[in-house]
Amino acid sequence: MAAAVAEPAAKTVFRLDGGDATYAFGVNEHGELQQLYWGGRIASTDAVAPAEAEREWASFDSPYNNTPQEYAGWGAGLFQEAALKVTFADGNRDLVLHYVASTRPDVHSIEVKLKDIHRAVTVTLHYKIDPDTGILARSATIENGEPQPILIEQAAAAAYSLPPAHYTHNYLTGRWAGEWTLNSEAIHGGERVLESRRGTTGHQANPWFAIGKGDADEEHGEAWFGALAWSGSWRITIEQDQLDKVRVTGGFNPFDFGYQLKSGETLETPVFYAGYSDRGFGGASRLMARFTLAEVLPQAPHPKPRPVIYNSWEATGFDVTEAGQEALAEKAAALGIDRFVVDDGWFGQRKTDNAGLGDWYVNQQKFPNGLKPLIDKVHSLGMDFGLWVEPEMVNPDSDLYRKHPDWVLNFPGRPRTEERNQLVLNLARQDVRDYVFGFLDKLLTENRIAFLKWDYNRNWSEPGWDQVPVAEQKQVYVKFIRNLYSILAELRAKHPGIEIESCSGGGGRVDLGILHYTDEVWPSDNTDPLDRLTQHDGFARAYPAQVMLSWVTDSPHGMNNRTTSLAYRFLVSMEASLGIGANLDKWTEEDTSTAKRLIAAYHGVQKTVVQGDLYRLISPANGSEFTATEMVSPDKGQGVLFAYVHSTQEGRGFPRVQLLGLEPAATYALSNIEGHTLPGTPAEASGAWWMRHGIDIDLRGDFQAAAFRFDRK
Ligand code: GLA
């Protein structure tokens, strides 16, 4: 790292160029760090003018409030969201951060040090731009150089600013079994708060945003987007100020926050990633996906496409036995499944969700000889083995709870609210962290396990931590998550090759923080294929299809009684990372042969589907009758098109579909997903033909699907 260079305080301009984006900021005449430009890449010869603070607005809004600061301390008459708010030991709460110094570790990174105008509180802002996608990673390190502790009441990772304009804001909300709803609304004066106060990411909102300018749409116009890499309580605010500027601030949720920082201690914020696209919201999600694959995932930059898994949860529930699982494993192997996963129910005294969580020994009634015979059998069938765990939880009816009732989050003397009959272990405690790491390490050491499905089936309540001094108890919001990450990191380091899925009753813990340590996520407990189509659509705005696991399950569906064909269910799950969760004991021979054929077909397109560029040609959102999703491999060698009809009326046919993203001059052969040629369409044509003329799809009725591949000749 280059040594800190003392810069002339005012007029310094910092600039980061990456992909098609440029980000510039500078020090203004007061010493504040101010954003100067964020948008399409400008010429290297273009000089960005030095920062000048905004003027005041009458006697009510000072320049400090109006200036688009990169990281504003709460003080000096700031009414916008502060990046940082502290209380000093003497009761002073005024914090004004001015530029001190900067380093440039490399051409893509800048570190800027800010300090309060009088007190020894410093903030180091970290900036790194990805040269490929132009996505910025921003975070802050706050250090207390005062002799006394300070209390941090609000700490953002970063604030991003946009100049006055008409903007549309897209964001994702949901609930259990109903995650990934896309919302879109005009930004008006005031603030929109996206957040979780739940101690975890949550199903109810996802820490992602996209903002389009003017009439930006799926494929056109300018869009700014970002995602917070944090799996604890989080907050992103989208604020249009009194001068119509927009500021997006993201970091720890200030609700019930209070992080005591002793003299000499530091607090690291999560990373708040953000980027720019001049290809609308579709371009934004393609950049996010590319970046996540190449920079965030544990197997980055080249994550392997996910194995096709079988999971027995919907087939057997808690009723897992050695014989039952072995029988399912045989059937799964015959389909061409790569990985067999035993879900909940294998451990402790687990018969229902009333008991057993916390007791991670193999249940002797269900597996009299331990897991080894089943694991050996799974291997002998040519699959690897995965296992469900829910490490951070405990049922009061468990040996662990009887031994350590003090290990759960609670306020002594107050009720302990149970959800799904379980309590949350306080992972911020070192002894709990050691226990959790210890049992997982033992499990992986003693068994040939390739994969853990790591579940988390409730949110926090009564988040007390009474073993530490009162002033430190709220650190639980940070230390719990850091310990979760450190356990995941240590397990991966000690057991190279282990793969992990993040699940939280479906999609309750999906964010770029957990995705740094986990290879895939379970987007929803709702596996109904029509519902999954809209969920996939919302999910893939923020995260790559690679991490989006989608099971084919039974019909009629248990949640809504909807009946769909097996082929339709397959084609829905095949636009993601494919899994099977159906009860194979009930399958007919015809079902088995359909599944075999489609799993084999999936392997022919999987890499393009899960790692390629995604185009939402027709989005299922907002009650559309049709969906058309296209993926193109990065080298444009293959395109894949999925078409779905939800329910057509009056014999209405599928709209002609014009593809995107192919090479216009190249020739592409068309076949259905299984490689068969199609009547009524050219067998091959140029990329230009497929993109301009398009393809007619003969699909009508209820819940029909078709899929096609375009292979460059
Ligand atoms: C959660 C998960 C399910 C399943 C059950 C097991 O609900 O999302 O997939 O693993 O727990 O109890």
Side-chain angles (χ1 to χ4, degrees), residues 80 124 139 145 150 205 233 340 403 422 433 454 526 582 659:
Q80 322 251 8
T124 305
S139 64
I150 60 170
S233 289
F340 185 84
K403 199 163 160 204
Q422 63 198 56
R433 189 231 177 258
W454 184 303
N526 184 347
L659 275 73

Side-chain angles (χ1 to χ4, degrees), residues 175-179 314 505-507 522-536 549-551 553 557 559-560 562:
R175 57 180 176 274
W176 174 80
E179 303 87 336
E314 290 202 18
W522 183 228
S524 181
D525 278 349
N526 184 347
T527 56
D528 170 74
L530 179 63
D531 289 358
R532 269 296 171 113
L533 276 186
T534 41
Q535 297 202 332
H536 290 175
L549 184 61
S550 189
W551 297 348
T553 56
H557 195 266
M559 276 182 190
N560 56 24
R562 181 179 286 127

